[in-house]
């Protein structure tokens, strides 16, 4: 075998190996883990970790200058599996290709870094999210927290109309007592989110639901 042929085979093998690694990374299952409820300032609060949030496609999309939306759905279930509360959190990740800076935008706050790993680590942590006032819960009843996460690449046309709209403070955190309240806005955003979630599930950019262990408010105070 000639040296040229040998060099070509080695190069081809390296390329195939790289593609295999990237394929495996993209196939890694997105998960919500370490869901930990606790009490803070008279609120039921939760922390969690997200695994495999960033695929190579998502990273490439962000680094091209197009933002991606991280959507976190948090719910509370009673012991009989009844959904009694739901909250939706939306964050936006963007990259300024001229300044070479990443940004995580959440409501009226922004976190900026030049390091992608820092941005990924920050995005994959949910630290101390207040869910519901303790006065709205029965201290002796058992509950569990359900959570799922998704990341949605936003196209150029959607960037201005959708990403900024979703991040409006009075629109992204509708606290919904399940089956008790409904509004025109909630209906509209539900349709919009359903559209995105259906598309992201096809492309593997959403986790399934994960649940914490059962707990009572009384247990958390001990």
């Amino acid at each position: 075998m000639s040296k040229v042929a040998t060099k070509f085979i080695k190069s081809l093998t390296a390329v195939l190996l790289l593609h295999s690694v990237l394929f495996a990374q993209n196939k890694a299952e997105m998960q919500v883990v370490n869901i930990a409820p606790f009490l803070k300032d008279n609120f039921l609060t939760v922390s969690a970790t997200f695994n495999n949030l960033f695929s190579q496609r998502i990273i490439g999309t962000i680094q091209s200058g197009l933002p991606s939306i991280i959507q976190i759905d948090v719910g509370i279930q009673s012991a009989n599996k009844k959904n009694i509360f739901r909250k939706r959190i939306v964050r936006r990740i963007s990259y300024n290709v001229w300044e070479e800076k990443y940004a995580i935008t959440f409501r009226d706050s922004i976190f900026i870094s030049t390091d992608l790993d820092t941005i990924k680590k920050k995005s994959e942590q949910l630290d101390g999210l207040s869910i519901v006032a303790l006065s709205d819960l029965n201290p002796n009843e058992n509950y569990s927290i359900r959570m799922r996460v998704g990341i949605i690449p936003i196209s150029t046309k959607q960037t201005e109309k959708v990403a900024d709209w979703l991040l409006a403070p009075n629109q992204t955190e509708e606290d919904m007592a399940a089956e008790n309240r409904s509004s025109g806005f909630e209906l509209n955003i539900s349709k919009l989110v359903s559209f995105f979630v259906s598309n992201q599930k096809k492309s593997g950019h959403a986790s399934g639901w994960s649940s914490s262990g059962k707990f009572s408010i009384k247990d958390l105070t001990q």
Side-chain angles (χ1 to χ4, degrees):
M1 184 180 294
S2 68
K3 291 183 178 179
V4 174
T6 301
K7 186 176 181 180
F8 172 77
I9 291 174
K10 288 182 178 179
S11 298
L12 179 60
T13 302
V15 170
L16 292 175
L17 179 60
L18 176 62
H19 276 274
S20 297
V21 172
L22 293 179
F23 180 79
Q25 289 176 342
N26 287 334
K27 284 297 183 179
E29 183 180 359
M30 190 181 298
Q31 294 178 316
V32 180
V33 297
N34 303 325
I35 302 175
F38 59 98
L39 307 182
K40 183 179 179 180
D41 299 331
N42 294 316
F43 274 83
L44 176 62
T45 306
V46 65
S47 293
T49 303
F50 310 132
N51 287 343
N52 306 314
L53 190 60
F54 292 89
S55 66
Q56 291 299 318
R57 176 190 171 191
I58 290 295
I59 292 174
T61 298
I62 294 170
Q63 291 181 329
S64 72
L66 295 176
S68 288
I69 295 295
I70 297 176
Q71 176 183 295
I72 306 163
D73 287 317
V74 185
I76 301 176
Q77 279 191 339
S78 60
N80 60 3
K81 301 295 184 180
K82 180 180 179 181
N83 294 317
I84 62 171
F85 191 84
R86 182 170 171 180
K87 191 182 191 85
R88 176 171 292 131
I89 304 299
V90 178
R91 298 170 173 172
R92 179 173 62 181
I93 300 179
S94 58
Y95 179 64
N96 187 315
V97 296
W98 306 110
E99 297 181 2
E100 298 183 342
K101 292 181 179 179
Y102 299 90
I104 304 174
T105 307
F106 172 55
R107 299 184 66 183
D108 55 353
S109 67
I110 185 168
F111 177 83
I112 297 175
S113 177
T114 58
D115 182 54
L116 176 60
D117 288 338
T118 299
I119 290 294
K120 289 169 63 177
K121 185 176 181 180
K122 182 80 171 177
S123 302
E124 291 170 345
Q125 295 292 329
L126 183 66
D127 297 320
L129 173 69
S130 296
I131 305 177
V132 62
L134 298 184
S135 57
D136 292 333
L137 299 173
N138 184 333
N140 297 310
E141 185 170 355
N142 286 325
Y143 298 101
S144 62
I145 295 177
R146 302 178 72 237
M147 191 180 300
R148 68 179 176 183
V149 64
I151 187 165
I152 310 165
I154 302 296
S155 71
T156 305
K157 292 182 180 179
Q158 295 167 332
T159 300
E160 295 297 330
K161 293 184 178 180
V162 178
D164 290 335
W165 181 61
L166 283 174
L167 287 166
N170 63 339
Q171 295 179 343
T172 60
E173 282 193 2
E174 283 291 332
D175 295 347
M176 295 173 285
E179 303 177 355
N180 289 335
R181 287 190 296 167
S182 180
S183 68
F185 171 75
E186 288 173 7
L187 178 63
N188 291 337
I189 196 171
S190 294
K191 288 182 178 179
L192 180 64
V193 169
S194 295
F195 169 77
F196 282 127
V197 169
S198 63
N199 283 318
Q200 72 186 70
K201 282 182 178 177
K202 293 176 184 176
S203 56
H205 294 310
S207 75
W209 286 97
S210 296
S211 298
S212 70
K214 293 182 180 180
F215 64 91
S216 69
I217 302 303
K218 188 175 181 180
D219 292 336
L220 296 180
T221 58
Q222 296 177 352

